[in-house]
Amino acid sequence: MLGVSKNATNDEIKAAYREQAKKYHPDNYADNPLSDLAKEKMQEINEAYDAIMDERRKNAGGQASGGNYSAGSSNFADIRQMIAQGRIEEALELLDGVDVSRRDAEWYFLNGSVLYRRGWFEDAYTSFSTACRMNPNNMEYRAALDQLNRQRSGGFGGYRQAGPRPAGGCTGCDMCTGLCCADTCCECMGGDLCTCC
Amino acid sequence: MFGYIQTCKEELKVREFEAYKGIYCSLCRQMGKEYGLLTRFSLSYDFTFYALLRMAREERCAGFRKGRCVFNPLAKCRFLKETSASLSLAAGVAVILVYYSIKDKLRDQAIKSRIKAAAAYLPFARAHRKARKKHPELERIAAQIMTQQAQLENDRCESLDKAADPTARLLGALFSYGEESESDRRIFQRFGYCMGKWVYLMDALDDLEEDRKTGDYNPFLLAYAGQSMEELRENARALLNVTMAEAAAAMELAEYRRFKPIIDNVIYLGSVQMRDKVFNQEKKK
């Protein structure tokens, strides 16, 4: 499964595991109709990795796969559920039936998800962009648009990076860095307050 | 419409290149055997990839032997020791698709290409009848979808996604044809859909300059109307990228017994190289 020989070192196994896990990471299959298959693959890889590592009496467990489709509070909960079940055409029909005046950011996000799964990437991009414009603070919408932007700029998921990363916007990475900075700043301030002032 | 799915030759290992070429030559021979000498001229790399992708997942592969090329007696080619169902299917698919492309050219393009198409029509009409008998289901799908495609273009469809949908669905059907397991069927449906979309968009981009001058239908000119050529190309590139990235994501989910490095080469490198060729107007039609 991991494509390593019996005599591979732990580091080699880890590297092979990481490469595979990156390839089939749920993030690469967000809004993909095949996400369940990718999840199965991920599970197999995790199991293979765990089995090897158990066998080697080490306690390094595999990464849990997460990032699933979350069912947050939604005005269109039924449609959301439909998408999660893979009933794309039905979901699209329901979405189309929603009156234009009722189309909020959530509607555009769900519309984008459906179109993306259907392979209509251009219209999905427009929809995700609109959702983010209408509600810039929603992380779910932002993540979907970021993922699409990464692909648009020539990225091949976790497998190979054939192009530059997109500029601008707030990615997950930016958030972590931001949090780290804020944390450090606070600690600095705290230290200063105690010792100097 | 043909010739966009190719390898990045520079990055293939010699043995990979030989296997790829061997499949190309075997397919050429297969077409000659099943559908007549003249159909061999229409063979393109797309169908080689189609055969290769299927053979990569077949139970066994007999290996290659050396033989002579029909067109160039001095050249030695490699052929598969045994013919396979994939090869025969790829030959049928090639004949059916080329036939419809000829019919399409007969209808609405410049006089020069219409004459060329007319010359090719007869042998292909005969070959097409044979292919129709052998693969009636494929023929039915192709015929139905080609009509839808022509209809959309007649209506001057303004949505890129909608305009590419018939071709995308056709390749989805071709790539997933005969897949037994539900998951493989879904994987290759998605893979084919994205590949078909990519091919359609590449073809439209390739014609962009010409269509702009002649005023012929081109979905990019309508969908991105009002944009500068630079903006249009940037948006088109982004759309091509996401389409191929999704094809790759689907492709990675299937199991392959052989040829995986060649498949990777086509998807990750060949597609990028071809995209740049079209953008730099280096691809000759």
Side-chain angles (χ1 to χ4, degrees), chain B residues 27-212:
Chain B
L27 185 54
C28 177
R29 170 170 284 196
Q30 186 80 24
M31 286 176 78
K33 219 162 65 183
E34 286 191 46
Y35 300 106
L37 181 76
L38 285 171
T39 60
R40 287 176 150 203
F41 289 104
S42 70
L43 179 56
S44 73
Y45 288 110
D46 315 81
F47 304 114
T48 310
F49 177 72
Y50 182 76
L52 181 134
L53 190 68
R54 291 192 156 257
M55 289 169 67
R57 307 175 56 251
E58 272 179 1
E59 199 79 31
R60 53 187 295 266
C61 176
F64 297 93
R65 63 172 173 79
K66 282 194 176 160
R68 280 194 194 285
C69 175
V70 181
F71 294 120
N72 180 359
L74 293 177
K76 285 218 170 136
C77 296
R78 277 160 198 276
F79 296 102
L80 285 163
K81 279 184 189 151
E82 292 168 19
T83 177
S84 79
S86 304
L87 216 51
S88 178
L89 180 64
V93 165
V95 165
I96 291 173
L97 292 192
V98 171
Y99 169 76
Y100 280 107
S101 127
I102 290 173
K103 255 181 94 170
D104 187 50
K105 280 199 187 110
L106 273 179
R107 253 204 323 261
D108 56 16
Q109 282 187 4
I111 187 86
K112 215 167 121 192
S113 71
R114 216 153 55 196
I115 293 170
K116 264 197 237 164
Y121 184 76
L122 269 184
F124 267 94
R126 259 186 55 206
H128 176 248
R129 275 199 297 277
K130 273 190 214 163
R132 190 168 58 190
K133 246 183 226 155
K134 279 184 199 170
H135 312 283
E137 201 189 328
L138 287 184
E139 156 61 27
R140 193 181 51 76
I141 299 169
Q144 189 190 1
I145 286 179
M146 289 299 181
T147 318
Q148 291 169 4
Q149 186 73 63
Q151 186 63 44
L152 278 175
E153 293 184 5
N154 267 340
D155 296 347
R156 298 182 82 82
C157 168
E158 286 180 18
S159 153
L160 281 167
D161 287 331
K162 204 170 162 193
D165 191 60
T167 306
R169 275 188 291 119
L170 175 60
L171 264 72
L174 293 179
F175 275 103
S176 62
Y177 181 73
E179 288 297 341
E180 276 161 20
S181 82
E182 165 73 9
S183 59
D184 279 341
R185 209 180 46 72
R186 283 176 55 209
I187 288 170
F188 285 101
Q189 184 88 46
R190 175 78 170 181
F191 175 74
Y193 187 94
C194 294
M195 290 303 276
K197 187 182 186 102
W198 187 82
V199 167
Y200 181 84
L201 295 174
M202 287 282 279
D203 192 47
L205 268 176
D206 215 359
D207 292 338
L208 194 65
E209 286 301 320
E210 225 181 289
D211 291 342
R212 210 158 59 112

Side-chain angles (χ1 to χ4, degrees), chain B residues 215-259:
Chain B
D216 281 348
Y217 172 74
N218 190 307
F220 280 105
L221 292 174
L222 296 176
Y224 295 148
Q227 293 186 2
S228 72
M229 249 354 222
E230 206 137 282
E231 281 172 309
L232 185 151
R233 286 157 68 89
E234 199 171 303
N235 283 324
R237 187 190 294 266
L239 181 57
L240 283 172
N241 286 346
V242 58
T243 306
M244 192 44 87
E246 278 299 298
M251 179 274 286
E252 292 289 356
L253 290 171
E255 302 285 341
Y256 304 92
R257 291 170 202 268
R258 61 191 76 81
F259 304 147

Side-chain angles (χ1 to χ4, degrees), chain A residues 53-92:
Chain A
M53 286 323 212
D54 277 351
E55 205 176 299
R56 295 188 173 205
R57 298 207 179 87
K58 295 242 159 126
N59 272 338
Q63 260 174 263
S65 61
N68 229 322
Y69 216 75
S70 66
S73 67
S74 165
N75 304 335
F76 303 104
D78 48 338
I79 298 180
R80 214 174 236 277
Q81 202 181 355
M82 233 172 231
I83 298 173
Q85 289 165 352
R87 290 151 63 194
I88 300 306
E89 295 304 316
E90 283 170 77
L92 195 62

